[in-house]
Amino acid sequence: MRNLQTLVISMLRSPDRRQRAAEELAKTNIEWQFLDAVDGKLLTHPIPEYLPEKVKKLLGFELMPGEIGAFLSHKKAWQTCVDQNKPTLIFEDDFILFSQFEKTIDYLLNDFQDWNLVRLQALEDSSYKVIHHGRDMVIAENEIDALGCTAYLVKPDAAQKLINGAHYIYEPIDHYIEHKGVHGLSFLAVRPYPSDISQSPTTVYRPDRASIRGWRKAKRSINRWLDRAFSKHPWFPK
């Protein structure tokens, strides 16, 4: 797979996760490299891309340092994709690969290339619309945001569009990457997924975060409506 760049986003302070990622990729013939993640705990405030008061109004809560670091890490990976001008396979360091993984990547690079951004893993199950029938797989559009950014494939033009839409950080990375109204990209999916998330504890977000309900949700909706009505570049366009 010469025309492919593979990046594993991983923090320098996570040697155990790095070791597990290396062991998983050693099962393949894929050439890869670590991309040092932005450690949210080490960020110096204020962060130019992050406006906490506006985020709280339009998202309903502030992002955790790990979420900001994760977003900046993926943005760093997108820039590397653009700079190298190659399709890029991007992993977070808590992935596992299934037996069909390499065949899936080969198919996307050589047999079916009508894609910009392809999901290879998801946190949420979703019904889907089939776009293309392949070898023992389908390329599909999920009907809900399937969430997760543990493994995906992106082309340089799409990576640039993701960068262009991410001047500000105002939602978790796996929500942003599904946010077609902002960057204009359809996040296709390979079904069945050829990879999954491992059971390593998260280093990014707080899993017990309460959902936005009642008056808080209504207030957020009003703030988003005002942003769409009066901003040239609304954060949550319809």
Side-chain angles (χ1 to χ4, degrees), residues 2-237:
R2 294 181 180 178
N3 192 35
L4 176 70
Q5 175 180 227
T6 300
L7 303 174
V8 179
I9 297 171
S10 183
M11 288 191 290
L12 287 169
R13 62 178 172 86
S14 300
D16 291 345
R17 295 169 72 102
R18 286 191 166 213
Q19 179 63 30
R20 286 193 293 270
E23 290 172 356
E24 196 68 19
L25 281 165
K27 303 172 186 177
T28 75
N29 294 309
I30 296 173
E31 295 184 5
W32 61 278
Q33 60 183 305
F34 282 119
L35 181 73
D36 292 341
V38 177
D39 192 336
K41 291 184 177 180
L42 301 180
L43 288 171
T44 302
H45 294 267
I47 302 165
E49 300 97 328
Y50 182 68
L51 306 177
E53 291 303 317
K54 187 172 181 179
V55 170
K56 193 171 181 179
K57 285 175 61 178
L58 298 183
L59 187 61
F61 51 84
E62 291 191 36
L63 295 177
M64 302 291 290
E67 291 174 310
I68 299 171
F71 200 116
L72 290 171
S73 299
H74 282 268
K75 196 172 179 181
K76 185 178 177 181
W78 303 334
Q79 188 62 58
T80 304
C81 175
V82 172
D83 292 344
Q84 295 299 316
N85 195 31
K86 287 183 176 182
T88 300
L89 177 58
I90 298 175
F91 289 109
E92 295 177 341
D93 61 5
D94 55 347
F95 64 90
I96 56 174
L97 304 179
F98 298 142
S99 60
Q100 75 271 29
F101 187 84
E102 283 186 275
K103 290 182 180 179
T104 299
I105 300 303
D106 181 70
Y107 188 81
L108 290 168
L109 293 177
N110 298 300
D111 296 297
F112 178 76
Q113 300 178 1
D114 189 16
W115 55 270
N116 292 298
L117 184 64
V118 182
R119 173 180 289 286
L120 304 171
Q121 165 275 342
L123 296 178
E124 301 287 342
D125 194 17
S126 171
S127 55
Y128 54 87
K129 175 184 176 183
V130 174
I131 303 298
H132 173 81
H133 288 272
R135 298 193 300 258
D136 302 319
M137 74 186 84
V138 297
I139 313 301
E141 286 185 348
N142 287 328
E143 294 183 353
I144 65 168
D145 293 353
L147 303 181
C149 282
T150 298
Y152 61 97
L153 194 59
V154 61
K155 289 181 178 177
D157 287 349
Q160 187 62 62
K161 289 180 179 179
L162 290 170
I163 293 169
N164 293 346
H167 183 70
Y168 291 109
I169 298 172
Y170 52 85
E171 59 184 334
I173 180 62
D174 53 350
H175 289 262
Y176 171 75
I177 205 167
E178 296 271 11
H179 207 154
K180 184 178 180 180
V182 174
H183 48 62
L185 298 168
S186 294
F187 198 8
L188 300 181
V190 174
R191 306 296 298 263
Y193 295 116
S195 61
D196 201 358
I197 191 169
S198 72
Q199 299 304 312
S200 300
T202 179
T203 60
V204 174
Y205 66 94
R206 190 174 62 215
D208 61 345
R209 176 184 281 150
S211 59
I212 306 298
R213 296 180 180 178
W215 164 240
R216 290 179 63 208
K217 186 173 183 178
K219 185 178 179 181
R220 183 182 69 177
S221 296
I222 293 169
N223 287 330
R224 289 185 180 183
W225 181 87
L226 290 170
D227 187 54
R228 286 193 291 268
F230 296 105
S231 174
K232 291 183 179 180
H233 302 287
W235 285 3
F236 292 92

